[in-house]
């Protein structure tokens, strides 16, 4: 059965990959002169369906919004795609290099079965190719502007042209994107993620197409809901610190996760939960509420002030959310 393909706007076709997978994903085909640009490549397991669609078109370029398995898996699986010009943001490559270079340090964040999830991701990351061209913020690709919207990953990219935005995993209607900590110098994942949300909302796009789930109907309202969600996560993280818990794994066990209690999550989801917990701890450190100490430990700052945390969120929101 062929994947469903529908036209979202002139020169923009959406490919729905949903056969035999738990979480359907979209890829996108952009008309570019007499050829096409493929945006994202789906899972390894959906590569066959994708190949049936792109095999009928002249694909000149592949642009990855980010390097997660459900967006770049087809590239790893399909030899026919690996000869095309590949583009993604430099910070995706730098983050990948950093994770691989600090494998033992990152592995130390995980315990027990969480190591299994890390190993799955690590094996995949080692197969990803370096791009032919690094994406830069504001660069044009035909009619589309490529915008650096970090937070879900360090080099996450959003595409925008008048009235339409392709937002990858930045903003989802019925889910909250994982905001994973990556040991990249100067990277503040949660702060950068929230700033990216506000930036995209200010585009005032009429059609916002994420990689998963329904189209976004009211972007500003959804941004406000996501700010509120992360305030709750920050509150839960702060209470864990007040209890004297110090490691990311201990603190993740105190957070209410959308898929259930921490101990009931799959190894991969526990791994993602720990990384998001680190991002919230990083935000609390950035705003003077928590302090980090080696190895992989956090504690309350001597002058911890929760009002500073809420003011930090409100300043980023630029009126789209208030505590």
């Amino acid at each position: 059965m062929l994947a469903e393909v529908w036209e979202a706007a002139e020169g923009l076709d959406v490919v729905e990959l949903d056969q035999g997978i738990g979480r359907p994903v979209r890829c996108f085909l952009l008309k570019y002169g007499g050829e096409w640009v493929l945006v994202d490549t789906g899972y390894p397991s959906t590569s066959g369906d994708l190949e049936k669609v792109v095999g009928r078109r002249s694909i000149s370029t592949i642009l990855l919004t980010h390097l997660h398995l459900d967006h770049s898996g087809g590239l790893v699986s399909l030899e026919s795609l690996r000869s095309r010009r590949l583009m993604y943001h430099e910070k995706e490559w730098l983050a990948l290099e950093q994770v691989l270079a600090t494998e033992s340090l990152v592995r130390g964040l995980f315990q027990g079965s969480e190591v299994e999830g890390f190993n799955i991701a690590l094996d995949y990351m080692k197969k990803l190719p370096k791009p032919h061209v690094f994406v830069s913020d504001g660069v044009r690709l035909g009619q589309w502007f490529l915008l650096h919207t970090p937070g879900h990953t360090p080099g996450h990219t959003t595409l925008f042209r008048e009235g339409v935005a392709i937002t990858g995993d930045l903003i989802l209607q019925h889910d909250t994107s994982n905001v994973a900590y990556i040991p990249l110098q100067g990277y503040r994942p949660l702060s950068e993620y929230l700033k990216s949300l506000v930036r995209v909302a200010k585009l005032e796009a009429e059609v916002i197409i994420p990689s998963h789930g329904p189209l976004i109907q009211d972007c500003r309202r959804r941004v406000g809901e996501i700010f509120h969600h992360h305030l709750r996560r920050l509150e839960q993280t702060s209470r864990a610190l007040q209890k004297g818990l110090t490691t990311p794994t201990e603190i993740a066990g105190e957070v209410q996760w959308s898929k259930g209690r921490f101990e009931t999550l799959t190894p991969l989801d526990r791994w993602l939960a720990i990384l998001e917990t680190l991002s919230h701890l990083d935000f609390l450190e950035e705003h003077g509420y928590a302090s980090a100490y080696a190895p992989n430990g956090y504690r309350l700052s001597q002058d911890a002030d929760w009002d500073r945390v809420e003011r930090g969120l409100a300043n980023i929101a630029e009126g789209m959310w208030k505590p």
Side-chain angles (χ1 to χ4, degrees):
M1 181 178 179
L2 287 176
E4 179 188 353
V5 181
W6 56 279
E7 185 180 53
E10 184 178 355
L12 168 60
D13 287 354
V14 180
V15 183
E16 303 277 359
L17 297 173
D18 59 3
Q19 299 300 310
I21 53 175
R23 192 187 194 205
V25 66
R26 295 185 179 100
C27 303
F28 305 89
L29 287 160
L30 316 180
K31 191 71 173 175
Y32 186 47
E35 298 179 313
W36 293 86
V37 175
L38 173 62
V39 179
D40 288 342
T41 63
Y43 298 88
S45 62
T46 58
S47 59
D49 289 338
L50 178 65
E51 189 171 33
K52 292 173 185 176
V53 173
V54 300
R56 304 196 303 266
R57 310 192 190 213
S58 177
I59 305 294
S60 63
T61 302
I62 297 171
L63 169 65
L64 299 179
T65 59
H66 59 297
L67 296 184
H68 285 174
L69 179 67
D70 53 336
H71 296 258
S72 58
L75 176 66
V76 173
S77 300
L78 291 175
E79 185 175 351
S80 61
L81 295 182
R82 292 200 289 272
S83 62
R84 305 300 191 267
R85 183 176 71 147
L86 176 62
M87 302 174 64
Y88 56 80
H89 197 280
E90 183 177 14
K91 286 194 174 180
E92 289 295 279
W93 181 254
L94 294 176
L96 178 61
E97 285 189 317
Q98 181 71 6
V99 170
L100 295 178
T102 58
E103 176 182 342
S104 59
L105 174 63
V106 176
R107 193 183 297 278
L109 297 171
F110 308 111
Q111 302 172 4
S113 60
E114 289 90 38
V115 176
E116 179 186 342
F118 176 70
N119 288 336
I120 292 170
L122 187 67
D123 180 64
Y124 163 73
M125 288 188 285
K126 289 178 178 178
K127 299 176 183 176
L128 287 166
K130 188 174 183 178
H132 301 98
V133 180
F134 284 125
V135 169
S136 298
D137 185 57
V139 165
R140 291 191 68 163
L141 187 63
Q143 296 179 322
W144 297 86
F145 287 94
L146 308 183
L147 307 179
H148 181 213
T149 50
H152 179 59
T153 66
H156 188 282
T157 297
T158 291
L159 294 86
F160 174 73
R161 77 179 202 201
E162 186 175 357
V164 184
I166 298 171
T167 54
D169 282 359
L170 175 69
I171 180 170
L172 306 174
Q173 184 63 45
H174 295 323
D175 199 0
T176 50
S177 297
N178 180 257
V179 182
Y181 180 83
I182 301 292
L184 196 61
Q185 185 174 7
Y187 182 52
R188 295 284 192 181
L190 184 54
S191 285
E192 295 189 35
Y193 174 71
L194 296 173
K195 290 174 184 176
S196 294
L197 288 176
V198 171
R199 183 184 187 188
V200 168
K202 289 166 71 175
L203 296 173
E204 302 289 356
E206 297 173 8
V207 179
I208 295 180
I209 313 176
S211 291
H212 308 278
L215 276 57
I216 308 298
Q217 301 298 328
D218 187 338
C219 187
R220 287 176 176 258
R221 177 178 179 179
R222 183 61 185 144
V223 166
E225 292 171 349
I226 294 172
F227 266 81
H228 185 75
H229 164 81
H230 284 290
L231 174 64
R232 298 281 84 81
R233 287 267 166 95
L234 288 165
E235 289 173 340
Q236 293 161 15
T237 303
S238 72
R239 286 196 289 269
L241 290 171
Q242 291 166 16
K243 289 182 179 180
L245 303 181
T246 60
T247 70
T249 301
E250 291 174 334
I251 295 167
E254 299 292 305
V255 174
Q256 296 175 11
W257 301 103
S258 59
K259 294 184 179 180
R261 299 189 310 277
F262 180 76
E263 61 270 19
T264 68
L265 300 177
T266 66
L268 184 58
D269 283 333
R270 280 198 293 273
W271 180 61
L272 294 173
I274 291 168
L275 292 177
E276 179 151 324
T277 297
L278 277 164
S279 293
H280 286 81
L281 288 165
D282 177 78
F283 189 91
L284 293 177
E285 181 187 25
E286 180 185 0
H287 291 85
Y289 190 86
S291 58
Y293 66 96
N296 302 322
Y298 284 82
R299 57 192 168 202
L300 285 175
S301 296
Q302 291 185 343
D303 59 345
D305 181 355
W306 184 252
D307 287 342
R308 280 205 304 264
V309 176
E310 291 194 344
R311 286 197 301 271
L313 285 171
N315 288 339
I316 293 172
E318 297 185 28
M320 294 187 193
W321 171 86
K322 293 181 181 179

